[in-house]
């Protein structure tokens, strides 16, 4: 999933994804809770507003009713009515309207004609709703209703004027107008509108606390409403703004119900939360930025040492051990870097050991030692053992400074060692000016015996070359003897676990040493003596001379020995032989 | 004040009337029963008879409407035109008797005892009495222009006596009477013998001002 090319990208991606997911969740939750809270607040306000509205209307009605009742019982009022003078009665009604705070007052005769009235609305003929109201008042002493008079809606109370039986009807009312709506708005803090639907269900706003433009929008919103499925509290979209509205019946006029609508904008209610929303948004954004930096920091703290390590590993791969990774962290990466550094150091150490080992033991032994598990113990192997020894080197040493002696010896041993190794032999050890070399252990080669013999001849040849050089510098010549034997020996690591040598032991070794010793005999007149075993084993052919049977120290039987003169049918050999005769 | 002059004028009329009655020589009594729709006797119904000779002249008598225990007594008082009404106050508090009825509008402001001036009912019609300080107090004076009238008692019975023989229109009135023109008048020829008749009326439910 998501093929990232870098660890950093991966970390940043997942980190930011998770953090933003969390923040989106928090943001949404806050938003949803706020909206729900606001809705709930409005619902409470609407319910409360609805009750307040009812109570206010009720109170107003009661007040007016009480005032009207007192007024209708007023003797002076009755006396004025009894005058039957229209102007007087008109004047009384106007005066008393002010006295009790009524918007409209009508005096109606028992035969239901209007005698006099106060207020701005010219009533004229009595409409049937008003007649109905009087009918109710006749039965119940008083009657309330919303009545439309000349296009204006009034909440009207009708009571009889008693003297002491009814002599006339007094209608007292308050106007359902913007003033009333505003008054209701002031203590409910809700939008208050009165509306009525006509026969075609089209709403008409009778009065409202809203500004004129909003009324038009409200009417449109109401027109869009599906009236069948309406709860008392319902959402209402007015020009894209969401409101919650409470609609309640307020009266019936001309057979069509007049309804009151209380409303509040959800957006307005949410206004305090918009600030919170902004704060949460900014905080979320800040958190996201911080986590971006955090992710980058964490990613870098991993990728930087990793990159350094990778580069160092590539260096080591290329053979450059001069690598050190610096990681200051103390965590797993720090550990890894430390381990890496130690590893490189170990590698360097091993290389150095290998180099030193190559110097103190032969390369073949070193390789064999390094590549295999080192353990004490040995195995029976058939090897050819070569011993060489410089003649009259002691005498040479006596006249020379130790430095020069060592220099000459080293020169000599270096050359000899090179020849041994060139012939797949292993220098087992240096014995003063002597060399002990093994052929066939630890690594077997084709024709180890032949190699040993060839090495012996080569060593002699090399000594000759060296002698030529020495003579040129006026230094006395040196001579040497070489013994070669082939036989079964025990080869292996010998010594203690803390210090051991790879070497060979056995009778065959001793015999080789003895053969070397035999070369000192002038009678034999040879530099190289080999046993029959060696000659038998060697696949290559050499020019030899039988020296007959020889008694060797430490051995009961005599053995058959040969002087090795040179390579068979080889011109070099012939020359060697010649030189030897000198 | 014309009221003070009236007794003399009434006395003249009375003398004339008596002479007419005496001239005819005979008179009959008609007993009348008034029941409502359910057959229950109706009290306080006024029954009056008007002869063919038209309205009779006013009669100068004085009738009393008492105020006892904050009620007018009687509740319905039929009188002939010209009758003076006295409103003695038998309670130990003042009353303020008034009427805004077109037949007679008057007011006797807060008074005590029997000192109140009499009020002459000079037009036929209904005079509704009230007390300005006691809204529940209600009474009716029904003024007719005939001497032949009576109010039903608690058994719904009234008696019109001294009716001269001849055709009379018998009418009925009640404070709670529903409009039913045909039932409210009965034409009848009264002979020398006593007779009975009955009215069946429909009344509106009783609704008196609250105490």
């Amino acid at each position: 999933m998501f093929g990232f090319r870098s660890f950093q990208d991966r970390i940043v991606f997942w980190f930011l994804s998770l953090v933003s997911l969390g923040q989106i969740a928090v943001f949404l939750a806050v938003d949803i809770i706020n909206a729900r809270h606001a809705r709930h607040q409005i619902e409470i306000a609407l319910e409360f507003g609805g009750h307040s509205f009812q109570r206010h209307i009720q109170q107003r009605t009661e007040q007016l009713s009480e005032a009207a009742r007192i007024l209708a019982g007023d003797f002076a009022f009755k006396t004025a009515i009894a005058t039957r003078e229209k102007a007087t009665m008109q004047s009384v009604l106007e005066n008393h309207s002010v006295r009790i705070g009524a918007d409209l007052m009508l005096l109606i005769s028992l035969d239901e004609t209007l005698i006099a009235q106060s207020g701005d609305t010219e009533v004229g003929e009595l409409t049937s709703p008003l007649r109905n109201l009087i009918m109710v008042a006749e039965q119940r002493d008083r009657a309330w209703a919303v009545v439309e008079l000349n296009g204006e809606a009034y909440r009207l109370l009708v009571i009889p004027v008693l003297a002491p039986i009814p002599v006339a009807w007094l209608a007292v009312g308050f106007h359902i107008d913007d003033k009333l709506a505003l008054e209701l708005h002031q203590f409910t803090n809700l939008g208050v509108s009165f509306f009525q639907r006509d026969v075609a269900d089209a709403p008409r706003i009778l009065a409202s606390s809203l500004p004129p433009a909003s009324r038009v929008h409200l009417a449109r919103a109401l027109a869009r409403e599906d009236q069948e499925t309406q709860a008392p509290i319902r959402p209402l979209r007015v020009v894209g703004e969401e409101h919650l509205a409470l609609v309640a019946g307020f009266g019936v006029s001309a057979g069509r119900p007049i309804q009151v609508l209380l409303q509040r904008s959800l957006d307005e209610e949410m206004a305090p939360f918009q600030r919170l929303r902004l704060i949460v948004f900014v905080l979320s954004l800040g958190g996201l930025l911080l986590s971006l930096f955090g992710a980058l920091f964490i990613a870098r703290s991993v990728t930087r040492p990793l990159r350094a390590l990778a580069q160092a590993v590539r260096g080591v791969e290329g053979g450059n051990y001069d690598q050190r990774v610096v990681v200051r962290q103390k965590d797993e990466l720090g550990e890894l870097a430390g381990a890496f550094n130690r590893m490189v150091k170990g590698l360097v150490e091993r290389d150095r050991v290998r180099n030193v080992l190559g110097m103190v033991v032969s390369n073949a032994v070193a390789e064999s030692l390094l590549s295999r598990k080192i353990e004490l113990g040995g195995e029976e192997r058939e090897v050819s053992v070569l011993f060489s020894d410089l003649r009259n080197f002691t005498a040479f040493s006596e006249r020379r400074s130790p430095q020069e002696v060592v220099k000459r010896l080293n020169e000599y041993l270096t050359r000899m060692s090179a020849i041994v190794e060139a012939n797949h032999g292993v220098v087992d050890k240096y014995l003063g000016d002597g060399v002990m070399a093994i052929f066939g252990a630890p690594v077997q080669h084709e024709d180890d015996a032949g190699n040993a013999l060839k090495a012996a001849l080569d060593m002699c040849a090399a000594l000759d070359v060296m002698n030529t050089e020495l003579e040129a510098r006026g230094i006395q010549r040196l001579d040497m003897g070489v013994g070669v034997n082939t036989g079964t020996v025990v080869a292996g690591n010998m010594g203690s676990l803390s210090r051991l040598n790879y070497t060979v032991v056995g009778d065959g070794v001793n015999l080789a040493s003895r053969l070397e010793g035999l070369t000192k005999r002038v009678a034999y007149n040879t530099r190289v003596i080999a046993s029959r075993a060696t000659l038998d084993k060697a696949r290559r052919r050499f020019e030899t001379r039988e020296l007959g049977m020889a008694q060797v120290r430490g051995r009961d039987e005599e053995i058959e020995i040969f002087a090795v003169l040179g390579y068979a049918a080889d011109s070099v050999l012939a020359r060697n032989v010649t030189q030897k005769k000198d | 004040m014309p009221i003070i002059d009236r007794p003399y004028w009434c006395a003249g009329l009375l003398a004339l009337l008596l002479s007419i009655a005496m001239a005819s020589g005979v008179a009959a009594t008609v007993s009348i029963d008034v029941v409502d729709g359910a057959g229950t006797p109706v009290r306080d119904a006024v029954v009056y008879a008007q002869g063919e000779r038209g309205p009779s002249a006013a009669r100068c008598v004085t009738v009393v409407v008492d105020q006892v225990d904050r009620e007018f007594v009687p509740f319905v008082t039929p009188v002939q035109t010209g009758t003076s009404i006295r409103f003695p106050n038998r309670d130990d508090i003042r009353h303020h008797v008034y009427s805004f009825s077109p037949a007679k509008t008057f007011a006797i402001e807060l008074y005590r005892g029997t000192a109140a001036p009499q009020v002459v009912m000079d037009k036929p019609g209904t005079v509704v009495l009230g007390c300005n300080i006691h809204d529940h107090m209600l009474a009716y004076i029904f003024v007719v222009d005939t001497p032949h009238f009576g109010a039903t008692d608690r058994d719904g019975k009234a008696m019109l006596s001294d009716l001269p023989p001849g055709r009379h229109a018998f009418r009925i009135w009640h404070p709670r009477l529903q409009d039913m023109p045909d039932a409210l008048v009965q034409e009848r020829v009264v002979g020398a013998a006593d007779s009975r008749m009955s009215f069946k009326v429909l009344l509106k439910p009783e609704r008196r001002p609250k105490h």
Side-chain angles (χ1 to χ4, degrees):
Chain A
M1 190 180 169
F2 308 118
F4 291 105
R5 311 270 328 243
S6 89
F7 179 73
Q8 177 174 309
D9 292 352
R10 185 190 303 266
I11 287 264
V12 168
F13 175 79
W14 285 111
F15 220 78
L16 289 197
S17 298
L18 291 176
V19 169
S20 25
L21 212 67
Q23 282 176 341
I24 286 168
V26 167
F27 192 71
L28 284 181
V30 167
D31 226 35
I32 288 168
I33 288 168
N34 282 347
R36 198 174 287 171
H37 179 74
R39 229 169 249 282
H40 186 61
Q41 286 301 106
I42 296 180
E43 277 174 19
I44 289 171
L46 283 177
E47 265 173 42
F48 183 75
H51 290 307
S52 301
F53 172 82
Q54 297 279 8
R55 267 191 51 190
H56 182 78
I57 292 290
Q58 194 70 34
Q59 254 176 17
R60 182 103 192 245
T61 304
E62 290 295 335
Q63 272 172 8
L64 207 56
S65 168
E66 205 52 34
R69 211 172 61 78
I70 290 166
L71 186 65
D74 181 50
F75 194 73
F77 179 71
K78 285 188 257 191
T79 311
I81 289 172
T83 63
R84 305 269 155 184
E85 293 169 19
K86 200 170 168 72
T88 304
M89 289 189 282
Q90 175 90 26
S91 172
V92 166
L93 291 184
E94 275 163 10
N95 179 67
H96 286 44
S97 294
V98 175
R99 200 188 273 180
I100 66 174
D103 294 328
L104 181 79
M105 226 180 218
L106 308 174
L107 189 65
I108 300 159
S109 71
L110 292 183
D111 59 6
E112 293 176 2
T113 55
L114 184 68
I115 300 169
Q117 75 153 100
S118 72
D120 302 331
T121 305
E122 284 300 323
V123 176
E125 286 278 301
L126 294 200
T127 55
S128 64
L130 195 49
R131 287 179 199 279
N132 290 340
L133 196 59
I134 291 170
M135 212 163 74
V136 177
E138 215 165 334
Q139 285 157 11
R140 298 188 192 160
D141 277 341
R142 64 179 219 170
W144 273 109
V146 174
V147 175
E148 203 176 314
L149 297 170
N150 214 359
E152 300 285 329
Y154 283 89
R155 188 152 159 88
L156 218 55
L157 163 78
V158 173
I159 55 166
V161 180
L162 298 171
I165 60 161
V167 293
W169 298 111
L170 182 66
V172 185
F174 56 86
H175 199 173
I176 298 170
D177 56 359
D178 296 349
K179 204 175 111 232
L180 175 70
L182 278 168
E183 199 177 299
L184 294 167
H185 162 75
Q186 267 170 7
F187 68 84
T188 56
N189 203 18
L190 296 164
V192 179
S193 306
F194 297 91
F195 70 98
Q196 186 181 31
R197 292 184 188 275
D198 64 13
V199 189
D201 272 341
R204 184 168 69 96
I205 308 292
L206 299 172
S208 176
S209 64
L210 304 177
S214 305
R215 295 180 199 199
V216 177
H217 296 313
L218 175 64
R220 280 188 202 141
L222 284 169
R224 280 197 303 270
E225 269 203 317
D226 174 19
Q227 288 182 65
E228 299 298 314
T229 54
Q230 286 298 358
I233 291 181
R234 64 229 206 180
L236 192 68
R237 273 201 94 72
V238 183
V239 212
E241 202 179 331
E242 193 161 351
H243 289 71
L244 278 181
L246 172 78
V247 175
F250 183 65
V252 176
S253 172
R256 312 289 306 169
I258 290 179
Q259 288 171 305
V260 61
L261 181 140
L262 306 177
Q263 68 184 83
R264 183 175 286 177
S265 159
L266 202 60
D267 289 356
E268 266 173 46
E269 189 71 27
M270 287 281 284
F273 297 121
Q274 294 300 346
R275 217 181 121 72
L276 178 63
R277 183 192 252 179
L278 188 71
I279 289 169
V280 169
F281 183 73
V282 168
L283 284 180
S284 301
L285 216 63
L288 212 62
L289 264 174
L290 277 180
S291 23
L292 174 66
F293 290 133
L296 279 175
F297 175 75
I298 288 177
R300 291 254 166 96
S301 73
V302 174
T303 53
R304 201 173 292 151
L306 277 184
R307 265 195 213 124
L309 277 166
Q311 202 179 356
V313 169
R314 275 197 296 275
V316 171
E317 194 180 33
N320 179 8
Y321 289 168
D322 193 16
Q323 303 288 345
R324 244 193 98 70
V325 180
V326 180
V327 175
R328 293 217 174 75
Q329 289 156 241
K330 283 181 178 152
D331 54 11
E332 291 87 340
L333 284 166
E335 253 175 60
L336 176 62
F340 174 80
N341 288 336
R342 283 194 295 280
M343 182 191 84
V344 172
K345 208 171 149 190
L347 283 177
V348 170
E349 195 70 23
R350 204 184 77 176
D351 250 30
R352 205 166 55 221
V353 167
R354 183 181 290 221
N355 286 342
V356 172
L357 201 63
M359 279 186 262
V360 293
V361 299
S362 82
N363 275 340
V365 173
E367 286 293 333
S368 166
L369 286 176
L370 290 170
S371 61
R372 271 184 274 161
K373 198 176 161 197
I374 297 174
E375 52 186 23
L376 284 173
E379 52 182 345
E380 286 207 329
R381 295 280 285 267
E382 192 193 69
V383 298
S384 299
V385 182
L386 178 150
F387 273 88
S388 77
D389 186 41
L390 263 185
R391 304 273 184 266
N392 51 35
F393 187 71
T394 315
F396 173 86
S397 315
E398 280 167 2
R399 294 189 302 257
R400 300 279 189 283
S401 68
Q403 281 81 7
E404 202 191 337
V405 170
V406 171
K407 196 183 163 195
R408 293 289 158 227
L409 188 59
N410 284 351
E411 205 179 299
Y412 164 76
L413 288 177
T414 302
R415 289 185 188 204
M416 295 306 124
S417 299
I419 289 167
V420 168
E421 274 164 24
N423 286 291
H424 306 300
V426 166
V427 175
D428 183 73
K429 55 177 81 76
Y430 298 112
L431 310 156
D433 52 11
V435 174
M436 173 182 165
I438 308 162
F439 296 80
V443 185
Q444 245 175 356
H445 291 96
E446 204 184 327
D447 197 12
D448 282 318
N451 287 342
L453 291 174
K454 184 173 176 286
L457 291 174
D458 287 354
M459 284 163 82
C460 294
L463 183 68
D464 287 340
V465 173
M466 208 176 136
N467 277 336
T468 313
E469 288 167 13
L470 289 173
E471 272 180 339
R473 280 186 280 169
I475 300 164
Q476 194 187 351
R477 291 173 62 100
L478 298 166
D479 201 6
M480 69 187 289
V482 181
V484 178
N485 180 43
T486 300
T488 303
V489 296
V490 174
N493 294 313
M494 289 160 217
S496 71
L497 260 180
S498 56
R499 186 177 176 82
L500 49 79
N501 281 333
Y502 184 85
T503 188
V504 289
V505 292
D507 197 36
V509 181
N510 296 334
L511 186 56
S513 176
R514 299 284 177 253
L515 292 181
E516 181 267 314
L518 290 177
T519 57
K520 290 173 188 164
R521 289 190 193 172
V522 181
Y524 289 151
N525 188 30
T526 182
R527 279 176 170 174
V528 181
I529 293 178
S531 64
R532 170 164 278 285
T534 303
L535 286 170
D536 286 350
K537 291 283 174 189
R539 299 215 190 128
R540 273 174 283 181
R541 299 270 55 98
F542 291 89
E543 194 182 324
T544 56
R545 175 160 46 90
E546 285 184 28
L547 298 177
M549 302 301 285
Q551 182 71 46
V552 183
R553 191 149 50 97
R555 261 184 179 256
D556 297 335
E557 300 166 32
E558 291 188 324
I559 60 157
E560 195 177 3
I561 58 170
F562 296 86
V564 180
L565 305 174
Y567 309 104
D570 196 321
S571 56
V572 178
L573 178 76
R575 199 187 54 194
N576 282 347
V577 172
T578 315
Q579 281 175 350
K580 200 169 163 245
K581 277 175 181 169
D582 288 339
Chain B
M1 283 291 279
I3 291 173
I4 296 163
D5 300 335
R6 255 173 210 160
Y8 305 101
W9 177 69
C10 283
L13 274 174
L14 188 64
L16 182 69
L17 235 149
L18 280 171
S19 64
I20 291 167
M22 281 169 178
S24 56
V26 283
T29 297
V30 178
S31 300
I32 299 160
D33 288 297
V34 181
V35 294
D36 65 8
T40 314
V42 173
R43 68 177 295 186
D44 290 331
V46 175
V47 187
Y48 57 103
Q50 285 166 315
E52 284 172 316
R53 278 174 291 183
S56 304
R59 203 164 52 157
C60 295
V61 293
T62 299
V63 170
V64 169
V65 175
D66 277 331
Q67 294 146 71
V68 182
D69 288 341
R70 296 170 209 189
E71 292 285 357
F72 288 113
V73 180
F75 179 54
V76 172
T77 309
V79 296
Q80 193 180 352
T81 318
T83 305
S84 296
I85 312 289
R86 277 179 57 227
F87 297 101
N89 181 355
R90 316 255 179 232
D91 288 335
D92 54 359
I93 53 167
R94 290 172 190 266
H95 287 297
H96 177 166
V97 181
Y98 69 88
S99 160
F100 288 117
S101 303
K104 187 71 191 178
T105 301
F106 71 93
I108 309 167
E109 290 183 13
L110 294 169
Y111 69 95
R112 220 187 255 279
T114 54
Q118 297 182 6
V119 179
V120 177
M121 300 296 140
D122 45 12
K123 268 191 285 185
T126 312
V127 177
V128 186
L129 300 177
C131 171
N132 189 25
I133 60 171
H134 299 105
D135 286 348
H136 67 279
M137 286 174 69
L138 171 66
Y140 294 89
I141 295 171
F142 192 70
V143 186
V144 293
D145 47 6
T146 169
H148 310 293
F149 56 83
T152 54
D153 58 14
R154 101 180 30 243
D155 300 322
K157 291 185 191 308
M159 205 171 280
L160 301 190
S161 51
D162 297 328
L163 279 171
R167 182 170 287 274
H168 292 269
F170 289 83
R171 293 174 203 275
I172 187 161
W173 175 89
H174 187 276
R176 291 187 282 123
L177 199 61
Q178 284 192 7
D179 275 345
M180 32 188 279
D182 293 342
L184 300 182
V185 58
Q186 291 183 31
E187 298 271 335
R188 178 166 294 207
V189 177
V190 177
D194 292 352
S195 62
R196 299 185 71 85
M197 64 186 298
S198 66
F199 279 93
K200 190 168 194 174
V201 295
L202 293 178
L203 298 182
K204 293 176 194 167
E206 185 171 12
R207 285 173 57 239
R208 297 195 58 175
K210 288 173 196 123
H211 282 261

